[in-house]
Amino acid sequence: MKITNTLTGQIEELKPSQKGVVNIYVCGVTPYADAHVGHAMSLMVYDILVRYLRWTGNKAGGYKVNFVSNYTDIDDKLIEKGLSLNKDPIQLAEDQIIKWEDEQKILKIDSLTRRPRVTEEIEAICQTIQKILDNGFGYITSTGNVYFRVRSQPNYGKLSRRSIDDLQTDTTSEDEVEKESPLDFALWKAKKQGEPSWDSRWGQGRPGWHIECSTMAQKYLGDTFDIHGGGVDLIFPHHENEIAQAEAVSGKSFANIWMHNGMVLYQGEKMSKSLGNVVSVAEAIDRWGSDALRLFVLNSYYRGPNNLTDDAMAGSVKALDRLRRALETPSFSGKKVEVETVREQFIEVMEDDLSTAKALAILFDLARDINRGSNEGYDITEAQEVLRELLAVLGLEVLASRVSTEDIDHVSLVELAQVYRLKVEGCSSEDIIVALIELRSEARKDLNYNLADEIRSQLQLRNIELEDALQETKWSVI
């Protein structure tokens, strides 16, 4: 499999350090507020990657994947939010983590093998900081802060392609007075009144932001591992600082491939609280459903940026219905729908830098062939099995159609039925739709195609779509 490596700027072959095993670390959230769609879509990218790598149908025959993603459950943002709510920041993080993990279950993001938290890794973090100090890459100030000495790493900036001298002019810090250089960043922050703190050799305090990820990645995946992922916004300074820290500890390369997903825009603009356009995961699930969100991610290039719009999500909802119909449509005893090359095509594009949009196009072509085959009396059983299998590889569990009338104007349906003199008093919306379909079927038998087309059009105006199969007409809410 080939993946774009931000470190080299090249699409490179994935060569696992350990035969049959792929080790992946992805930076997780700081849970100070509800997770938004950007968090969900970022994690979905790596969930899709891991699902594919574990699939025994891939070129390698399937890998064992160790997939680690952290929680930053103590941080400046958490402390500030806790103070504003008069709530313990660690408890705030706990509450948000529980909520976010419940949402991940709905989103079917279930490929993670470990979710370490900063507050549970203090001892390991302190050990990492001590190694950095012992190796001459850090220093302790008189106030008890510990900093990483950036100029001690001559290759600092290699991920973001920035030189140390260029960074000197545009990097500032409120702690510059006690730093050797403005570029240096905190490994350990000395205790401040009212903040959570832990004991260390340098006095009480808490970890800096960057040290947690390099520590947890190396603890659970080794000094050098296969893939480090995260959003493009983390390339500098976070991932750059992770590399500096990790390589200062081990003297070895940190991650072989640095994989970055693009940012999610909403209606063409960056999501921000100041603009009031942040879409929470809970809101997105309620509006569009989990499969529609995943379909949007799949239909985009993971390196983005990806523009989430109401129209795009409405398209995802409709596209899901096309897949559902292909899985539900009846099979007959005629010749088989050809599927010989579908898996091969799917594998080729997935192995080529996780080209999920191309993979999805292949599956929609298969769905089209299935629907056509059913209409022509073909045996589509094997084709449906292949479609279901490959959708599952992508994390799309396309369930049976939701026969829901919640979005239908019942009064308008009654009025339509009355136009055609149907007796529908006391009938449900579903009963009225069935009655109108039966009327349309009679019209078609009588060769009254104008009436049949009129009924179809009137139902479509009321968000009801009809699909004529070989032996029946199906309906769905659009």
Side-chain angles (χ1 to χ4, degrees):
M1 184 173 190
K2 295 181 179 179
I3 299 171
T4 297
N5 187 353
T6 305
L7 186 63
T8 62
Q10 303 293 319
I11 297 178
E12 297 182 4
E13 184 179 351
L14 171 63
K15 298 178 180 178
S17 303
Q18 185 180 349
K19 185 177 180 180
V21 180
V22 177
N23 291 316
I24 301 175
Y25 185 92
V26 173
C27 294
V29 301
T30 301
Y32 70 97
D34 290 350
H36 56 67
V37 290
H39 298 135
M41 292 181 175
S42 175
L43 194 52
M44 271 189 198
V45 166
Y46 301 101
D47 177 75
I48 292 162
L49 172 66
V50 171
R51 286 172 178 272
Y52 179 75
L53 290 172
R54 286 176 178 160
W55 180 47
T56 56
N58 68 35
K59 285 187 177 181
Y63 293 98
K64 175 185 176 182
V65 181
N66 297 314
F67 181 19
V68 179
S69 185
N70 71 300
Y71 287 119
T72 302
D73 62 341
I74 188 64
D75 177 83
D76 293 343
K77 291 179 180 178
L78 270 163
I79 292 169
E80 291 169 10
K81 188 65 176 288
L83 285 171
S84 70
L85 298 174
N86 194 27
K87 188 172 185 176
D88 175 56
I90 295 177
Q91 185 59 51
L92 171 62
E94 174 66 21
D95 294 344
Q96 291 292 342
I97 288 170
I98 290 171
K99 185 174 183 180
W100 174 216
E101 291 194 347
D102 286 343
E103 290 167 344
Q104 287 177 62
K105 290 175 185 175
I106 297 171
L107 295 168
K108 294 186 281 292
I109 299 174
D110 54 12
S111 55
L112 284 149
T113 49
R114 190 180 291 273
R115 302 168 186 255
R117 306 184 186 193
V118 175
T119 57
E120 297 172 354
E121 302 290 344
I122 299 297
E123 182 179 352
I125 290 170
C126 287
Q127 290 172 356
T128 298
I129 294 172
Q130 188 59 53
K131 288 178 183 177
I132 290 172
L133 291 169
D134 291 344
N135 292 341
F137 291 93
Y139 57 94
I140 308 166
T141 69
S142 59
T143 60
N145 290 310
V146 183
Y147 291 100
F148 187 91
R149 185 178 285 116
V150 168
R151 287 191 174 276
S152 64
Q153 278 285 31
N155 62 0
Y156 184 85
K158 63 182 178 180
L159 182 68
S160 57
R161 292 172 178 75
R162 306 183 186 204
S163 72
I164 291 179
D165 291 334
D166 290 341
L167 291 172
Q168 180 75 49
T169 59
D170 56 36
T171 304
T172 60
S173 170
E174 68 275 11
D175 299 319
E176 282 185 12
V177 175
E178 64 173 5
K179 289 182 179 182
E180 292 180 359
S181 164
L183 294 177
D184 297 346
F185 57 87
L187 299 172
W188 186 262
K189 297 183 176 183
K191 180 181 180 179
K192 293 181 180 178
Q193 188 172 357
E195 291 187 357
S197 62
W198 290 264
D199 291 329
S200 77
R201 298 181 185 181
W202 323 284
Q204 287 198 325
R206 58 185 174 88
W209 174 31
H210 313 294
I211 192 65
E212 61 181 87
C213 284
S214 60
T215 296
M216 289 185 263
Q218 289 185 308
K219 176 179 177 178
Y220 294 110
L221 301 176
D223 289 339
T224 303
F225 56 96
D226 302 304
I227 299 172
H228 193 311
V232 292
D233 57 319
L234 297 179
I235 293 174
F236 186 88
H238 185 53
H239 288 167
E240 198 73 72
N241 291 349
E242 277 193 69
I243 292 174
Q245 294 166 155
E247 295 183 358
V249 168
S250 69
K252 304 173 186 176
S253 294
F254 185 32
N256 291 327
I257 291 178
W258 285 84
M259 181 178 177
H260 289 98
N261 60 279
M263 303 299 289
V264 177
L265 308 177
Y266 181 58
Q267 307 288 28
E269 294 185 312
K270 181 179 178 180
M271 285 190 291
S272 71
K273 291 180 181 178
S274 60
L275 292 174
N277 66 349
V278 176
V279 181
S280 71
V281 173
E283 179 187 351
I285 291 171
D286 184 59
R287 288 178 65 182
W288 302 302
S290 61
D291 272 343
L293 285 169
R294 185 173 286 259
L295 195 70
F296 173 82
V297 173
L298 289 165
N299 207 26
S300 310
Y301 180 41
Y302 76 87
R303 289 175 63 81
N306 298 317
N307 187 20
L308 178 72
T309 66
D310 294 337
D311 287 344
M313 292 310 302
S316 290
V317 172
K318 288 183 179 180
L320 280 172
D321 283 336
R322 287 167 55 197
L323 294 172
R324 285 193 185 97
R325 289 197 293 272
L327 293 172
E328 295 172 356
T329 195
S331 182
F332 299 95
S333 56
K335 69 177 184 178
K336 291 187 176 183
V337 170
E338 291 296 329
V339 293
E340 187 175 337
T341 62
V342 172
R343 277 195 187 88
E344 181 181 336
Q345 294 170 2
F346 177 86
I347 292 166
E348 283 301 318
V349 297
M350 288 295 286
E351 298 267 341
D352 183 17
D353 203 17
L354 200 68
S355 300
T356 55
K358 293 179 181 178
L360 208 56
I362 291 166
L363 299 190
F364 275 110
D365 285 347
L366 177 58
R368 178 201 60 206
D369 293 343
I370 289 171
N371 287 324
R372 286 179 180 173
S374 177
N375 290 338
E376 295 173 15
Y378 287 9
D379 181 351
I380 59 171
T381 303
E382 182 183 0
Q384 287 176 316
E385 289 174 355
V386 171
L387 179 59
R388 189 173 286 106
E389 175 193 1
L390 299 183
L391 287 172
V393 172
L394 301 176
L396 278 173
E397 187 182 352
V398 183
L399 302 175
S401 298
R402 54 184 181 101
V403 181
S404 171
T405 56
E406 292 178 3
D407 300 325
I408 297 174
D409 186 339
H410 180 74
V411 174
S412 179
L413 263 186
V414 170
E415 291 172 350
L416 178 60
Q418 289 171 345
V419 168
Y420 298 113
R421 298 181 180 180
L422 296 175
K423 295 181 179 179
V424 294
E425 186 178 351
C427 291
S428 66
S429 294
E430 185 173 350
D431 290 338
I432 296 172
I433 293 168
V434 171
L436 287 163
I437 290 173
E438 289 174 352
L439 177 62
R440 178 175 175 271
S441 297
E442 289 298 320
R444 294 175 73 194
K445 286 178 184 177
D446 296 338
L447 305 182
N448 189 350
Y449 295 115
N450 287 337
L451 176 58
D453 289 345
E454 180 183 295
I455 293 172
R456 176 196 283 273
S457 297
Q458 289 297 321
L459 285 170
Q460 195 162 32
L461 288 172
R462 292 160 175 81
N463 297 323
I464 299 154
E465 186 173 68
L466 303 184
E467 182 183 6
D468 294 316
L470 192 64
Q471 295 180 338
E472 63 178 332
T473 297
K474 297 180 179 181
W475 66 274
S476 60
V477 179
I478 58 176

